[in-house]
Amino acid sequence: MSSDTYSMLLGKYQEKKPRREEYVFPNSDNEAYRDVAAFRKAVKLAGIGCRFHDLRHTFASQLVMAGVDLVTVKELMGHSELDTTLIYAHLAPKHKKEAIAKLEVHYDKVVNESFLYSPDLLARAQANGTKLAHFEKK
């Protein structure tokens, strides 16, 4: 739960606290909602197409697109199997590119460290006819 959502819910609960209501958003009988009829009505009145489950899907999708790892998404969603969470993995193609970029940065660091310990590494590779453009210092 985000800090903004928590603060909003806490404020809503504290408003109701004097009446000792157990739920933040109780139904007219001061009980928990057991169906989503009120949600459906609100969605219809708002003129948007949304199912209750779409809220969970949106939550998971936003986590993935924000770069949260899939194991953490799995835990937050309460999925028992990672396969269920993998449904959302396709939402992060940008992160795949970023992962490759991290590898390239790591690789460049390793290569640059190699030059520090063996300055003639590139010269030997080139003398052997090896085409290692990515080894060249920038």
Side-chain angles (χ1 to χ4, degrees), residues 78-122:
H79 294 154
S80 57
E81 300 294 327
L82 188 58
D83 285 350
T84 306
T85 311
L86 288 174
I87 294 166
Y88 304 99
H90 72 281
L91 300 168
K94 172 183 155 196
H95 300 290
K96 292 176 187 174
K97 290 179 183 176
E98 289 173 1
I100 297 301
K102 286 178 185 178
L103 181 61
E104 289 173 348
V105 167
H106 172 74
Y107 188 71
D108 286 343
K109 180 181 174 188
V110 169
V111 168
N112 288 334
E113 288 174 0
S114 295
F115 286 130
L116 293 175
Y117 298 110
S118 180
D120 63 340
L121 179 66
L122 180 61

Side-chain angles (χ1 to χ4, degrees), residues 21-44:
E21 292 174 343
E22 187 176 343
Y23 302 102
V24 176
F25 300 107
N27 66 15
S28 59
D29 296 325
N30 197 30
E31 296 174 353
Y33 284 99
R34 297 286 178 220
D35 61 48
V36 292
F39 177 80
R40 286 188 189 121
K41 183 177 179 181
V43 165
K44 186 175 182 177

